[in-house]
Amino acid sequence: MELTVGLIVKPQGIRGELKVKPYTDDAEVFRALKSVYIDGIEYRVLNVRTGGGAAYLGLRGVPDRNAAELLRGKEITIPREDAPEPEEGRYYVADVLGSEIVTEEGEVLGVLSDVRQAATDVYTLMRGEKEILFPAATGVVIDVLVAEKKIVVNKKRFHEVAVL
């Protein structure tokens, strides 16, 4: 399984450095990476610096601005096993996709099929062929049980905020 960890925004400077918008909580995560993948091709990470919520990567095989320009708009992925373990109470989206959404009473509402990142993440739940969107806000999501592939929600709050 691969994790998508960022989006290449643009070249930075003339030496092939890439400005990356992180899909992680903290751009500092990039400092721990030895290599990344872009379009399935592995690139060794030569250097990383961070600032202003962005990561700036120097990659082997991207020697100048022209080479960096060819990567603009592409996503950066890493193998799941190379990702640092998230802090307590945090998780990777890839680890919860496919989880059952259940109420505190154990009623199965559906399966998590997508997470749209925003100020408050928006979860997409599939119930048969029907898509239901709801914010993963405090009071709606009670618990995320990654190992059990279950997300527990408050039934009353879920029905107040869900978009059918």
Side-chain angles (χ1 to χ4, degrees):
M1 175 190 313
E2 287 192 342
L3 296 178
T4 303
V5 294
L7 174 70
I8 299 169
V9 178
K10 65 177 188 157
Q12 182 72 27
I14 60 171
R15 294 197 174 125
E17 190 174 52
L18 301 166
K19 180 178 182 180
V20 176
K21 175 186 173 191
Y23 289 163
T24 59
D25 288 341
D26 187 358
E28 293 295 322
V29 166
F30 284 84
R31 292 186 186 279
L33 302 177
K34 302 281 186 256
S35 63
V36 297
Y37 290 81
I38 303 167
D39 284 343
I41 299 169
E42 184 175 12
Y43 292 86
R44 186 167 174 271
V45 176
L46 300 175
N47 57 55
V48 177
R49 63 187 180 89
T50 60
Y56 299 89
L57 304 181
L59 304 177
R60 176 161 297 182
V62 186
D64 57 32
R65 186 175 186 88
N66 291 334
E69 186 63 49
L70 296 173
L71 300 175
R72 182 190 292 258
K74 296 189 182 284
E75 290 185 319
I76 295 176
T77 62
I78 61 171
R80 171 63 182 95
E81 60 271 11
D82 290 353
E85 282 308 308
E87 297 173 19
E88 183 71 30
R90 309 290 298 174
Y91 50 86
Y92 290 109
V93 170
D95 292 342
V96 295
L97 289 176
S99 294
E100 260 188 345
I101 309 284
V102 298
T103 65
E104 292 169 289
E105 296 78 28
E107 177 188 349
V108 177
L109 300 174
V111 175
L112 182 66
S113 65
D114 190 29
V115 175
R116 296 179 188 147
Q117 294 181 322
T120 298
D121 290 347
V122 177
Y123 285 8
T124 302
L125 169 140
M126 292 302 294
R127 183 183 295 160
E129 296 295 312
K130 188 174 189 178
E131 265 190 1
I132 301 169
L133 303 175
F134 69 97
T138 305
V140 179
V141 174
I142 305 301
D143 204 359
V144 178
L145 307 167
V146 177
E148 298 165 41
K149 295 290 270 186
K150 278 192 178 177
I151 298 173
V152 181
V153 297
N154 176 289
K155 185 175 182 175
K156 181 178 183 288
R157 288 287 295 134
F158 173 83
H159 287 295
E160 289 172 356
V161 298
V163 177
L164 306 173

